[in-house]
Amino acid sequence: MTLSSAAPPPSVLFLCVHNAGRSQMGAAFLTHLAGDRVEVRSAGSAPADAVDPAVVAAMAEVGIDVSAETPKVLTAEAVRSSDVVITMGGGDACPVFPGKRYLDWQLDDPAGQGVDAVRPVREEIERRMRGLPAELGIAS
């Protein structure tokens, strides 16, 4: 039996309060860009019942399907098992653990405002996401 010495892929946790918009878009873009070279999760401190339909529609416009995603509750374990935690505006309550990298991306919350309000937020998340794989040390 041969043991692999390869390091596990980096893990990134995206947070927004309801886990129904910004964090879902961030997770979807990073998964789209990096595939299995990164472990991606998203959560919220007060998760909604479903991903915002305007977010589903806006992501479909760029060829990414988030219709099967469901909002998840933030747990300390999710933070503990992530290398990078990205809060996406809204002052989400996030536990802080030593050795984790925390990024705070101030993004408007387009909740309940329709696709026209989601598009600029989606574009800003996509712009920021373009550089993230390189920051994580993975090729996109």
Side-chain angles (χ1 to χ4, degrees):
M1 182 169 105
T2 306
L3 295 177
S4 173
S5 61
S11 59
V12 178
L13 172 63
F14 292 93
L15 296 176
C16 69
V17 175
H18 299 295
N19 189 221
R22 296 164 291 181
S23 57
Q24 292 286 349
M25 289 189 283
F29 273 124
L30 186 55
T31 298
H32 180 75
L33 290 170
D36 61 359
R37 296 183 310 267
V38 64
E39 183 181 351
V40 179
R41 37 176 95 81
S42 68
S45 57
D49 293 330
V51 174
D52 187 317
V55 168
V56 173
M59 293 301 286
E61 290 177 351
V62 295
I64 300 175
D65 182 6
V66 296
S67 62
E69 298 300 323
T70 56
K72 295 162 226 40
V73 69
L74 172 63
T75 65
E77 184 51 39
V79 176
R80 191 176 288 114
S81 60
S82 298
D83 299 309
V84 179
V85 178
I86 300 175
T87 56
M88 305 187 85
D92 208 4
C94 178
V96 176
F97 294 101
K100 306 294 172 196
R101 181 174 172 201
Y102 293 87
L103 302 173
D104 183 29
W105 292 356
Q106 289 299 312
L107 298 163
D108 291 335
D109 185 358
Q113 298 182 47
V115 176
D116 288 342
V118 172
R119 284 185 189 113
V121 176
R122 177 199 67 202
E123 290 165 6
E124 177 61 16
I125 291 170
E126 182 178 18
R127 184 190 68 74
R128 292 175 188 225
M129 225 34 76
R130 294 280 171 206
L132 193 59
E135 284 183 43
L136 296 172
I138 57 174
S140 61

